[in-house]
Amino acid sequence: MKTLLYLHGFASSGATGTATSLRNALYEYGVQVIAPDIPVMPADALPFLRQQAADLQPDLIVSTSMGAMYAEQLRGYLRILVNPSFCMARLLTFGGMGRKPFRNPRQDGAKDFKVDKDMIAQYRELEKHCFEGITPADRELVYGLFGEHDKRVNCQPQFKKAYGTAHFATFDGEHFLNDVILKRTVLPLVKQLLAV
């Protein structure tokens, strides 16, 4: 059985509709989709995800937005980064601090979380290490998909500078995925990379 690790975006959880749609679409191909709740604080999140990847040894990591920023730093794994947000500190600085609701249920039952200066500082520190140590082999493992109408995040220049354009593509969509974009854009690439 092949394993896909899905990394969700900011203020979300493993219960996001994208993970459910991937699970439903790939079940018939014998692909299990694992979608953990990513810890809220960056200093906890990246070690947690590195351990998840080491334990699962996924055949493919699919990630969106904030999750894609983390996935970029999981060297050595085949990865799809959808609308990666390599600028979380800036987004949160201008997006306002305080309590924010989760968009999807969390396994621990948490309904909201706090954006504060410590969280922003942790993102700023983490972002300093994006694109570190990329080898030619790693460039072959990373695919970037970008919504042409994404008004929330535009990290295309950073991706192209680090990874080139061989595995870069845009799609007719915005920042958040829906089932149409998932089926038309993401799933064909997933199936190609998993050879299912």
Side-chain angles (χ1 to χ4, degrees), residues 72-86:
E72 190 280 326
Q73 296 191 44
L74 297 177
R75 302 276 177 262
Y77 298 95
L78 187 59
R79 290 159 281 158
I80 299 174
L81 315 181
V82 183
N83 291 328
S85 179
F86 303 124

Side-chain angles (χ1 to χ4, degrees), residues 54-165:
D55 291 345
L56 292 169
Q57 288 298 306
D59 298 282
L60 176 63
I61 297 172
V62 176
S63 55
T64 53
S65 193
M66 172 202 75
M69 183 268 298
Y70 288 124
E72 190 280 326
Q73 296 191 44
L74 297 177
R75 302 276 177 262
Y77 298 95
L78 187 59
R79 290 159 281 158
I80 299 174
L81 315 181
V82 183
N83 291 328
S85 179
F86 303 124
C87 54
M88 288 298 301
R90 189 180 78 231
L91 286 173
L92 295 179
T93 298
F94 293 104
M97 297 203 208
R99 301 221 63 91
K100 308 286 182 185
F102 285 112
R103 289 193 298 270
N104 298 289
R106 301 274 292 191
Q107 287 184 347
D108 63 4
K111 303 292 184 198
D112 63 4
F113 62 100
K114 185 177 181 183
V115 174
D116 58 16
K117 289 181 180 178
D118 185 36
M119 176 184 279
I120 292 171
Q122 287 186 27
Y123 272 117
R124 191 171 291 114
E125 180 59 32
L126 193 71
E127 288 163 13
K128 291 177 184 175
H129 304 288
C130 286
F131 317 120
E132 273 186 358
I134 297 172
T135 65
D138 222 27
R139 281 190 182 85
E140 293 300 312
L141 294 173
V142 177
Y143 291 74
L145 301 176
F146 294 83
E148 293 171 353
H149 312 292
D150 187 347
K151 294 179 174 61
R152 183 176 293 257
V153 176
N154 180 5
C155 293
Q156 293 182 32
Q158 295 98 312
F159 182 90
K160 288 179 182 176
K161 182 177 179 183
Y163 289 99
T165 58

